[in-house]
Amino acid sequence: MPRPTGNPKLRAARLAAGYRSQQDLIDALSARGIVVGRRQVGRWESASPPLPYPDVRRALADLLGQPLEQLGFDVTSGGERDRRPGSGPLPPVNRAPVRTPNAPQPASAAADYLAVTRAHRRLYWTVAPSTLHPAVAAHAALGEQLLEATAGRTRQTLAAALSESWLLAGRVEFFDLREPSRAGSTWVRALQAAGEADDPLLGSAVLAHMAFIPGWTGRREAAAERMTAARTYARRGPASPEFLAWLDAVEAECETRSGSTRTALNLITHGEAILAGGGEHSNPEWMDWFSPVRLAAFKGNTQLAAGHVPQARTTLLGVLEELPADADKQRTVVLGDLGAVEAAAKQPEAAAAYAVRALEMLERHWYATGLERVRDVRRALVPWQHEEYVRNLDDRLYGWGAVVSALAN
């Protein structure tokens, strides 16, 4: 496929920031007292974008959450092309240290880079996030530099692998380290690389992950906008049944956290029907975080939030039985949800036992999302906090090992 034309970095950042059209961005700039026309924004999204005026640069960087050099602009030009007549000298440009450019890379560079990306993908399930994240981020930084030295199909392959690396780095930041703001910036870079690769499914995956950020704090409208964009990209796929069901699961979790459990359960039912119906398209190689059993885990959590306690218990016990051996991160979440089920059923001792099992697993495989579930259980156990089994849970939850792990990761 030909390399996409124009300035995909700016378009991706605009979309990620919630501005679906150029007019949306124009309106946002106008609200800040900056007047630009459709033609000017079109020039910014062209293959050779002129550097905006200084006041516009600051507004663009603020609205899109990215520095100008990551929005496809050549900041080393100093903006002379768009300088206003009589405006006086522009402030000096902070130039990056001079570095020797990479020589043009052979076709093998993309395959070599992709091999490391695949290795990181597998290591995610077993390596501590504080250990893995620096390696993934450094690999992504390498990919951005190599991208400048490639062309054609080699560039496209490398860009797709780069997008996956940034996506993985963001997953570690959001799910393992609970740094949503940092993950948001990382996922913008993943979306930009997906645009360079002209890979709509990768773009859809990144956008769906970005929906988690507002979704987990109950900002339903912002999450829905990102899910609409994700589904739009998925239609350009072709998307596998697993991919489409995962989109349903993501949206269901966002709906659950905003209190719309009926909508969430309908989405999960739709996802189950898609999986049961099958399809002609295979799952993307890089999508190793979803399966029917993981859809059931989403379902159990939503049933719990909806107050369907017996159904949630049955669903989650089935998930616990079916999870693969390398799914300890997901297992900590399920154990936490089962603890919450038992707390809701007024079985506090069983709830504490599930929470302790999750903590024992977290000592081996740290996962901030799993710890959040354990803390939810502990909050539900406040009426029984003077019981010995709750004190034993507290000893484990606030032990030296748990505190050190939380700070280290």
Side-chain angles (χ1 to χ4, degrees):
M1 289 183 289
R3 181 186 168 193
T5 58
N7 183 359
K9 290 186 176 181
L10 180 59
R11 286 199 302 271
R14 169 169 61 77
L15 182 63
Y19 305 114
R20 297 187 185 181
S21 66
Q22 292 180 353
Q23 187 60 52
D24 289 341
L25 181 59
I26 291 169
D27 294 342
L29 288 168
S30 178
R32 291 172 173 249
I34 296 173
V35 178
V36 298
R38 186 75 69 87
R39 181 179 179 185
Q40 183 62 47
V41 177
R43 292 177 66 203
W44 294 340
E45 295 195 358
S46 69
S48 300
L51 195 63
Y53 302 133
D55 52 345
V56 183
R57 293 180 220 169
R58 289 188 291 270
L60 278 175
D62 188 34
L63 288 171
L64 303 182
Q66 295 286 311
L68 264 289
E69 59 269 23
Q70 291 182 18
L71 295 175
F73 294 103
D74 179 11
V75 297
T76 61
S77 69
E80 293 298 328
R81 284 177 293 173
D82 273 0
R83 183 180 171 187
R84 287 188 179 95
S87 61
L90 292 174
V93 175
N94 293 325
R95 299 177 182 271
V98 176
R99 74 170 186 228
T100 304
N102 290 299
Q105 296 296 301
S108 59
D112 292 340
Y113 185 86
L114 178 58
V116 178
T117 300
R118 286 170 171 158
H120 286 161
R121 184 200 310 151
R122 293 190 295 269
L123 290 170
Y124 170 74
W125 302 108
T126 56
V127 175
S130 58
T131 302
L132 181 63
H133 183 269
V136 175
H139 182 60
L142 170 64
E144 288 195 334
Q145 294 188 29
L146 291 180
L147 200 63
E148 302 171 4
T150 56
R153 191 174 296 276
T154 300
R155 181 185 179 92
Q156 187 176 21
T157 302
L158 181 62
L162 173 60
S163 178
E164 184 188 338
S165 288
W166 281 129
L167 175 59
L168 178 59
R171 284 172 55 81
V172 175
E173 290 159 1
F174 186 83
F175 296 109
D176 297 70
L177 303 178
R178 293 306 297 132
E179 297 180 9
S181 296
R182 187 179 180 189
S185 298
T186 299
W187 283 334
V188 169
R189 300 174 84 167
L191 188 60
Q192 290 170 332
E196 289 279 357
D198 195 21
D199 191 323
L201 282 186
L202 262 176
S204 176
V206 175
L207 285 162
H209 276 85
M210 295 177 81
F212 279 125
I213 297 175
W216 277 37
T217 56
R219 291 180 287 139
R220 187 182 185 190
E221 184 176 346
E225 282 188 356
R226 295 179 181 190
M227 286 308 304
T228 297
R231 292 185 186 280
T232 300
Y233 275 59
R235 286 197 296 270
R236 303 168 186 167
S240 66
E242 289 85 357
F243 191 91
L244 295 174
W246 173 68
L247 292 181
D248 284 335
V250 173
E251 190 165 2
E253 176 144 355
C254 295
E255 292 286 347
T256 298
R257 287 176 177 264
S258 69
S260 303
T261 53
R262 177 176 295 183
T263 301
L265 288 170
N266 288 337
L267 283 162
I268 290 172
T269 299
H270 184 258
E272 291 172 333
I274 291 175
L275 290 176
E280 58 180 310
H281 304 302
S282 59
N283 211 30
E285 177 198 0
W286 39 262
M287 189 183 160
D288 61 349
W289 60 75
F290 186 75
S291 63
V293 68
R294 285 179 166 84
L295 178 61
F298 280 98
K299 181 177 183 177
N301 178 259
T302 300
Q303 288 172 328
L304 170 62
H308 304 165
V309 175
Q311 295 93 325
R313 181 189 290 113
T314 299
T315 300
L316 292 167
L317 286 173
V319 171
L320 203 59
E321 286 291 323
E322 295 179 23
L323 279 173
D326 63 352
D328 280 349
K329 290 183 178 183
Q330 182 68 48
R331 197 169 280 108
T332 63
V333 172
V334 174
L335 287 169
D337 281 347
L338 279 167
V341 164
E342 298 307 333
K346 309 300 182 186
Q347 299 293 327
E349 190 166 1
Y354 276 123
V356 168
R357 287 178 60 185
L359 286 172
E360 290 172 347
M361 196 161 290
L362 286 167
E363 290 178 0
R364 300 191 302 272
H365 299 286
W366 178 258
Y367 195 46
T369 304
L371 182 62
E372 284 185 354
R373 296 294 217 271
V374 172
R375 286 174 171 160
D376 287 342
V377 176
R378 179 59 185 86
R379 282 189 283 269
L381 291 175
V382 167
W384 300 278
Q385 62 185 1
H386 298 299
E387 298 292 338
E388 183 177 359
Y389 49 82
V390 178
R391 290 180 176 179
N392 290 338
L393 170 59
D394 287 344
D395 287 339
R396 175 78 70 166
L397 182 59
Y398 301 110
W400 286 112
V403 171
V404 170
S405 293
L407 294 175
N409 290 286

